[in-house]
């Protein structure tokens, strides 16, 4: 299985961490999604990573779909099978993905080569940051001092949140989130030591 991805992408990291937890090998194909000639364009009309290409050559996106696809393969389940537990995990994943979407919007607003310095909007970035802050406050409240977001064992919810928060540290270090979520910060310090996360820590292109 080939995963088209970039090393900084928090969405791709979520997929890579889930695969690592399950012991599934993934062949990484590193791409620059902002390059109009990227091979991803032929696989995913949205031109986004991650994109998984299976052994039959079929392309799968986006990251929640890829995670479900991989979780159905052998190895420990990271998404519970029981309906309500499953929905609870997916809701936390959606919160983490929304945090990443808003963070990536801030990042692109500040670096995308298609905009001039005058066209970049600080107001737009602040609007996106409100979403990040809202997600962080909700995650702090939902974790409530526990070791895992849902149930007693590691799930995709934990991996998704860890990938989102560490991406904020990596790409938006001038927008600190820890003062608003001390319990989440302490939880992340422990979670980030898991091999699946330590091995996939974000690096530049
Ligand atoms: N909903 C998508 C979001 C993926 C996404 O936004 N990926 C970014 C990289 S972190 C991307 O490919 N951006 C390229 C673009 O927006 O043109 C998922 O969960 O996979």
């Amino acid at each position: 299985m080939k995963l088209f991805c970039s090393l900084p992408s928090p969405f791709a990291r979520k997929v890579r961490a889930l695969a690592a937890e399950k012991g599934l090998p993934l062949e990484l194909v590193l791409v620059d999604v902002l390059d109009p000639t990227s091979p991803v364009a032929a696989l995913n009309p949205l031109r986004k990573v991650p994109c998984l290409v299976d052994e039959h050559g079929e392309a799968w996106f986006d990251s929640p779909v890829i995670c479900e696809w991989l979780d159905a393969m052998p190895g420990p389940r990271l998404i519970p099978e029981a309906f309500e537990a499953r929905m609870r995990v997916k809701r936390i994943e959606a919160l983490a993905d929304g945090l990443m979407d808003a963070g990536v919007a801030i990042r692109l607003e500040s670096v995308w080569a298609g905009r001039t310095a005058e066209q970049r909007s600080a107001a737009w970035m602040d609007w996106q940051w409100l979403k990040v802050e809202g997600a962080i406050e909700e995650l702090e409240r939902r974790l409530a001092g526990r070791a895992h977001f849902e149930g007693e064992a590691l799930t995709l919810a934990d991996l998704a949140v860890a990938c989102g928060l560490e991406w904020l540290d990596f790409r938006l270090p001038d927008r600190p989130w820890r003062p608003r979520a001390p319990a989440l910060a302490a939880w992340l310090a422990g979670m980030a030591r898991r091999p699946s996360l330590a091995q996939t820590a974000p690096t530049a292109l």
Side-chain angles (χ1 to χ4, degrees), residues 33-127:
V33 274
L34 297 182
D35 176 353
T37 66
S38 158
V40 169
L43 299 168
N44 177 356
L46 301 174
R47 295 174 177 252
K48 293 187 179 195
V49 291
C51 180
L52 182 83
V53 176
D54 70 17
E55 62 271 33
H56 307 295
E58 189 162 356
W60 298 92
F61 49 85
D62 55 359
S63 65
V65 172
I66 300 171
C67 285
E68 290 218 28
W69 201 95
L70 292 176
D71 200 42
M73 302 189 84
R77 297 298 298 238
L78 278 305
I79 307 173
E81 285 182 72
F83 178 73
E84 190 169 336
R86 183 179 191 83
M87 288 300 109
R88 290 185 182 283
V89 165
K90 304 272 310 167
R91 179 167 58 186
I92 296 292
E93 182 192 20
L95 202 47
D97 285 359
L99 177 155
M100 297 178 201
D101 279 329
V104 168
I106 294 172
R107 166 86 183 156
L108 288 181
E109 183 71 15
S110 60
V111 302
W112 187 52
R115 284 212 206 291
T116 63
E118 299 71 39
Q119 287 171 334
R120 300 190 196 283
S121 168
W124 175 250
M125 292 190 254
D126 289 345
W127 172 240

Side-chain angles (χ1 to χ4, degrees), residues 99-171:
L99 177 155
M100 297 178 201
D101 279 329
V104 168
I106 294 172
R107 166 86 183 156
L108 288 181
E109 183 71 15
S110 60
V111 302
W112 187 52
R115 284 212 206 291
T116 63
E118 299 71 39
Q119 287 171 334
R120 300 190 196 283
S121 168
W124 175 250
M125 292 190 254
D126 289 345
W127 172 240
Q128 297 300 325
W129 185 249
L130 277 182
K131 297 168 192 282
V132 174
E133 286 182 331
I136 284 173
E137 281 170 10
E138 181 70 7
L139 290 167
E140 173 89 347
R141 192 182 68 75
R142 285 188 178 272
L143 184 62
R146 290 173 299 136
H148 298 291
F149 275 92
E150 297 296 340
E152 304 303 318
L154 180 86
T155 67
L156 173 60
D158 302 310
L159 297 177
V161 173
C163 291
L165 295 176
E166 287 208 309
W167 184 88
L168 293 178
D169 292 339
F170 176 65
R171 282 301 198 211

